[in-house]
């Protein structure tokens, strides 16, 4: 009986962990207006209701019930590694690249080749862009 109870408790605990989902990702920005323009006009995210109403926050729908939360605050890190990045998948990456090219917004491959696309070993195409504060974003076609 004790063994059965242990297995049941373990099963309940494991199923609780399986219910975890992403709620939001918070990103530190130095200029909210400039970052809002980037995330809306360049990345194409839709702004959603912002609960704080203090002029320092903006929220964006990033799918599956998750949100991107940008927060204006002082002391943004000055050097940001490409290894630390957000990743968004696009259904039509070619159209996204054309938008970048038509607005002269720079993009590069993983290796830093300007205007180039990386093709991962699994065939997924990816590019990297930076937001106004230098945070790296991977854009790929694994939609």
């Amino acid at each position: 009986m004790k063994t059965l109870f242990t297995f049941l408790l373990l099963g309940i605990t494991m199923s609780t962990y399986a219910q975890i989902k992403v709620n939001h990702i918070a990103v530190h920005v130095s200029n909210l207006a400039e970052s809002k323009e980037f995330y809306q006009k360049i990345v194409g995210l839709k702004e959603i209701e912002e609960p704080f109403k203090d002029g320092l926050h903006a929220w964006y729908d990033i799918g599956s019930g998750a949100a991107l939360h940008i927060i204006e605050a002082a002391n943004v890190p000055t050097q940001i590694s490409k290894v630390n990045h957000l990743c968004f998948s696009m259904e039509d990456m070619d159209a996204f690249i054309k938008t970048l090219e038509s607005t002269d917004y720079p993009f590069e491959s993983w290796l830093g080749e300007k205007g180039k696309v990386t093709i991962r070993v699994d065939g997924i195409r990816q590019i990297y862009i930076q937001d106004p504060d230098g945070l790296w974003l991977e854009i790929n076609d694994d939609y």
Side-chain angles (χ1 to χ4, degrees):
M1 186 67 165
K2 187 175 182 180
T3 303
L4 177 61
F5 179 73
T6 301
F7 280 121
L8 285 173
L9 184 60
L10 181 62
I12 291 169
T13 303
M14 295 302 281
S15 66
T16 300
Y17 286 117
Q19 300 303 313
I20 292 174
K21 67 176 187 166
V22 173
N23 178 273
H24 73 270
I25 298 166
V27 174
H28 186 175
V29 302
S30 62
N31 182 306
L32 186 65
E34 189 175 76
S35 293
K36 285 176 69 169
E37 184 171 338
F38 169 78
Y39 282 103
Q40 290 172 24
K41 292 184 178 171
I42 299 297
V43 180
L45 296 181
K46 179 183 174 217
E47 191 170 8
I48 58 176
E49 181 67 23
E50 190 277 292
F52 300 107
K53 313 270 190 272
D54 62 3
L56 299 174
H57 300 81
W59 291 73
Y60 295 94
D61 180 4
I62 56 173
S64 301
L68 174 66
H69 176 195
I70 60 174
I71 308 163
E72 183 177 309
N75 303 317
V76 174
T78 56
Q79 206 170 39
I80 301 171
S81 168
K82 193 185 280 185
V83 173
N84 295 326
H85 63 269
L86 299 176
C87 179
F88 296 110
S89 295
M90 300 281 178
E91 187 171 19
D92 187 351
M93 194 163 138
D94 291 325
F96 183 74
I97 290 172
K98 284 181 183 167
T99 298
L100 294 176
E101 291 170 339
S102 71
T103 59
D104 290 324
Y105 205 91
F107 67 93
E108 63 185 53
S109 69
W110 172 252
L111 296 176
E113 302 162 300
K114 307 295 182 206
K116 300 288 183 182
V117 176
T118 299
I119 301 176
R120 297 188 329 206
V121 295
D122 58 359
I124 300 299
R125 296 181 315 139
Q126 61 187 174
I127 60 171
Y128 290 84
I129 60 176
Q130 288 182 284
D131 79 358
D133 289 295
L135 177 68
W136 286 100
L137 281 75
E138 174 188 336
I139 308 296
N140 70 34
D141 63 359
D142 190 18
Y143 189 77

